[in-house]
Each structure stands twice: as structure tokens, then as C-alpha cells.
């Protein structure tokens, strides 16, 4: 069965510092990968996704993630965070040619301090 | 894209009662999904709701506790039965991500507190 591991439950950083949120998945077949963000008291929003093509995907607010098939990873990065980036970040995987089920990681709480 | 309306947004219920959550999508979709997000935890898939057939439940979830209806291609309900404090969670419905769309869309969630 597929699983998603987010090793860091909490990541505290100062504003304008770089950040990396790690995500590893376990699957020997093709997968689709997603990062979702949940701001305080709000619903889930898609941050970015990898379906095919370029292994580096970017979001409109400066985040990027790189699909690394050999390391089965999809780490999320941002070169300079803002206080408004404080949120819970979830990595999720869906297996190609399977159901539409999303398997979520346990989440990483990004806390940005001034 | 898809817009999902979920209600109620929150509720406080007594032990032993039930809560039914409604999920309305603005387009027709084959599959809808129900997730649970327990306090401070990630999302866990409860079941997949297919129109015209019985829902498919994930390990650890049973129909008697979480009956699901899917009367048409735009609507589904999840009932949480015989409530206990351990059922206090956020429940979310979702569509996608691939058969219908290239990403999953989520309702705003229903925050359930059992007292």
C-alpha cells in the first residue's frame, strides 16, 4: 500500500529565511504528487502538483517542489518565506491508473516568525 | 475546477446521536470522497461514494458507523452515527483528482464536536 512520509511535524523559521519541507512516498509504480496547504481555520487548497513532464513544479506564491523518482521524494521549498506562509502543509500521492484516492502525509506545520 | 458546498460548517452534538453532513458539487462527478481529519492530524480517507452503487469503505471504517448516500452525480451525504467524543473531528468531502479533474477539490469541512 502506498504511504507518504513527512518527516518534520513542525518547522519553525524566521521571515525571509529559506525553507524545505520534506516528503517521501513509497510506491514502485507511477504516481501523481501534490502539496496542499491549510491556513488556520480554512479548508485545503492545492499549492502545486506533479502529473508529468518537468520534474520541477512551481506555485504562484514562490513555492517549488521537485519530483525525484530515484529517491521517491517531492520536497517543497521556498527561498524566502513570509509570515503569511504560516500554515499546515500536506503532501499527498495518487497512484496512476488507480482510483482517485489521495493518500496524505501527516502534515508539516510551518511557523514563520518575524 | 469544482466548487463544493458542505454543510453544516460546524456542529456540537450529544453522545449517542447522529450527524448528517451534506456535500453538493457544482458539476457532475463519478466519485466523491469523504475524509476525516482528527485534531492535529492528517486526513484519512473514510470511503469512496460512487453514484448508483454502495460506498467503498477504507480499513477501519464501517457502513453502520458511517452510512453514505449518493443519490445523484452532484450530491452525497455522510452520517456519523452513535456519536462518541472520539468522533470529534473535521469531516471533508472531496472530488477528483484525476478521473474528473487534474487536482482534488475539497469542501470547507464540517467541524464536529461531541459532548
Amino acid at each position: 500500500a502506498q504511504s507518504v512520509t513527512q518527516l518534520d511535524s513542525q518547522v519553525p523559521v524566521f521571515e525571509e529565511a529559506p525553507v524545505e519541507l520534506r516528503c517521501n512516498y513509497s510506491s514502485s509504480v507511477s504516481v501523481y504528487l501534490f502539496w496542499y496547504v491549510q491556513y488556520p481555520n480554512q479548508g485545503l487548497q492545492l499549492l502545486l502538483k506533479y502529473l508529468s513532464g518537468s520534474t520541477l513544479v512551481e506555485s504562484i506564491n514562490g513555492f517549488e517542489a521537485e519530483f525525484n523518482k530515484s529517491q521517491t521524494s517531492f520536497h517543497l521549498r521556498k527561498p524566502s518565506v513570509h509570515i503569511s506562509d504560516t500554515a499546515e502543509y500536506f503532501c499527498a500521492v495518487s497512484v496512476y491508473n488507480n482510483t482517485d484516492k489521495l493518500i496524505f502525509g501527516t502534515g508539516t506545520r510551518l511557523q514563520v516568525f518575524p | 475546477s469544482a466548487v463544493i458546498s458542505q454543510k453544516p460548517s460546524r456542529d456540537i452534538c450529544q453522545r449517542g446521536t447522529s450527524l448528517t453532513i451534506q456535500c453538493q458539487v457544482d458539476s457532475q462527478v463519478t466519485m466523491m470522497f469523504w475524509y476525516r481529519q482528527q485534531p492535529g492530524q492528517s486526513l484519512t480517507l473514510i470511503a469512496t461514494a460512487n453514484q448508483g452503487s454502495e460506498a467503498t469503505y477504507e480499513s477501519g471504517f464501517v457502513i453502520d458507523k458511517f452510512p453514505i448516500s449518493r443519490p445523484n452525480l452532484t450530491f452525497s451525504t455522510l452520517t456519523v452515527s452513535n456519536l462518541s467524543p472520539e468522533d470529534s473531528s473535521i469531516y471533508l468531502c472531496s472530488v477528483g483528482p484525476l478521473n474528473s479533474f487534474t487536482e482534488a477539490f475539497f469542501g470547507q469541512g464540517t467541524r464536529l464536536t461531541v459532548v
Side-chain angles (χ1 to χ4, degrees), chain B residues 42-110:
Chain B
S42 186
L43 283 78
T44 303
L45 182 65
I46 298 171
T48 304
N50 300 306
Q51 196 274 331
S53 64
E54 293 288 328
T56 304
Y57 289 83
E58 298 298 307
S59 176
F61 297 95
V62 295
I63 187 171
D64 290 346
K65 177 67 175 178
F66 299 98
I68 287 172
S69 78
R70 184 79 202 275
N72 57 54
L73 290 173
T74 64
F75 187 79
S76 177
T77 67
L78 169 73
T79 299
V80 189
S81 307
N82 190 24
L83 290 168
S84 68
E86 292 71 35
D87 296 319
S88 296
S89 294
I90 297 174
Y91 294 86
L92 300 102
C93 69
S94 169
V95 301
L98 295 167
N99 278 357
S100 305
F101 310 97
T102 57
E103 64 182 86
F105 296 92
F106 291 85
Q108 285 297 100
T110 297

Side-chain angles (χ1 to χ4, degrees), chain A:
Chain A
Q2 298 81 37
S3 65
V4 179
T5 302
Q6 292 181 247
L7 290 172
D8 306 303
S9 60
Q10 296 187 63
V11 174
V13 294
F14 288 107
E15 195 172 18
E16 298 183 2
V19 70
E20 178 180 79
L21 307 184
R22 294 179 291 172
C23 173
N24 289 87
Y25 65 93
S26 65
S27 176
S28 59
V29 299
S30 297
V31 296
Y32 300 114
L33 296 157
F34 305 83
W35 275 99
Y36 282 84
V37 59
Q38 187 175 36
Y39 297 103
N41 299 315
Q42 294 189 30
L44 279 169
Q45 303 173 34
L46 180 71
L47 187 60
L48 45 76
K49 61 189 176 187
Y50 170 78
L51 303 181
S52 64
S54 173
T55 57
L56 183 66
V57 291
E58 299 177 350
S59 71
I60 58 174
N61 57 355
F63 282 94
E64 65 178 31
E66 186 163 18
F67 168 54
N68 188 320
K69 186 174 182 179
S70 63
Q71 297 186 9
T72 61
S73 68
F74 191 55
H75 301 330
L76 182 69
R77 302 183 183 93
K78 189 170 185 179
S80 176
V81 294
H82 190 269
I83 288 180
S84 61
D85 293 323
T86 294
E88 190 84 23
Y89 292 80
F90 294 97
C91 182
V93 62
S94 178
V95 176
Y96 178 74
N97 259 357
N98 203 329
T99 70
D100 278 345
K101 291 192 298 186
L102 278 176
I103 309 300
F104 282 85
T106 49
T108 297
R109 170 77 175 163
L110 176 63
Q111 180 73 54
V112 182
F113 295 95

